[in-house]
């Protein structure tokens, strides 16, 4: 998709604040600092529209981005950030759970993992949980610019094994917001899921 218009319409902390126009939604989940905002910026062809930071845990609300009046990207707070309080973490957890389990417009979730590392316990739990709720998942291995292409197969196999990846119901792609590697494929996945 060639994106010209994008607008951040809502920073929501509860269901009452979600948009009401019924456009399809694609959510982005993943550990803090994994690159959700960077992926959003790459897909919408902007440099720093979704705020990126070296300060993990900065995004603390569900941010809805209206893209070309065709869909919303929903940037979900990064999980697994140690410095937020336990109470804060539980509140995020509830907010995310409420959104993912009850949102009819949600057509799929892009679950980001760091291409270089074994998925964390949180990554595994998130993947299993999405799978349990039958939500179409695209696992995106980010920061792929940091590993050599000759090792992609090995890293992919490792990530899939650690996640207990289901080839029938999920998809997998490498991505880099530095080099834009994988951008068109991520868009294809999104487009095929919002037109379903
Ligand atoms: P939270 O909002 O805290 O949950 O983080 P986030 O998942 O939105 O991460 P963000 O996009 O802010 O990126 C975190 C850091 O990783 C930034 O310093 C980015 O520049 C860097 N980064 C993100 N994607 C890539 C990538 O594909 N390659 C490289 N080399 N760095 C990346
Ligand atoms: Mg972010």
């Amino acid at each position: 998709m060639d994106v010209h218009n994008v607008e951040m319409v809502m920073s929501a902390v509860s269901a009452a604040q979600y948009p009401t126009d019924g456009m399809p939604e694609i959510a982005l989940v993943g550990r803090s600092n994994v690159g959700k905002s960077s992926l959003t910026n790459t897909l919408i062809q902007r440099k720093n529209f979704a705020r990126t930071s070296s300060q993990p845990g900065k995004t603390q609300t569900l941010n809805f981005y209206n893209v070309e009046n065709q869909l919303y990207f929903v940037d979900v707070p990064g999980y697994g950030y140690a410095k937020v309080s336990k109470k804060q973490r539980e509140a995020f957890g509830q907010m995310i759970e409420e959104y993912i389990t009850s949102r009819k417009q949600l057509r799929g979730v892009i679950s980001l993992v760091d291409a270089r590392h074994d998925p964390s316990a949180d990554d595994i739990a998130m993947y299993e949980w999405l799978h349990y709720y039958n939500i179409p998942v695209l696992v995106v291995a980010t920061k792929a610019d940091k590993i050599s292409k000759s090792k992609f197969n090995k890293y992919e196999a490792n990530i899939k094994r650690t996640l207990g990846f289901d080839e029938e119901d999920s998809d997998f792609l490498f991505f880099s917001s530095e080099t834009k590697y994988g951008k068109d494929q991520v868009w294809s996945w999104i487009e095929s899921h919002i037109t379903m």
Side-chain angles (χ1 to χ4, degrees), residues 117-137:
H117 308 303
D118 286 342
S120 68
D122 285 329
D123 293 332
I124 298 165
M126 177 57 85
Y127 179 80
E128 285 174 349
W129 191 69
L130 293 168
H131 203 229
Y132 175 81
Y133 283 105
N134 286 317
I135 294 161
V137 185

Side-chain angles (χ1 to χ4, degrees), residues 8 11 30-34 36-37 48 50-63 65 75-84 88 92 95:
M8 155 99 141
S11 253
R31 249 181 311 175
S32 216
N33 218 38
V34 72
K36 296 176 296 296
S37 299
N48 204 11
R51 291 267 295 281
T52 58
S53 67
S54 46
Q55 226 181 309
K58 205 148 193 202
T59 312
Q60 302 193 345
T61 53
L62 292 177
N63 294 330
Y65 298 95
D75 191 355
V76 171
Y79 50 74
Y81 178 54
K83 277 195 189 157
V84 301
Q88 254 179 318
F92 293 171
M95 176 174 75

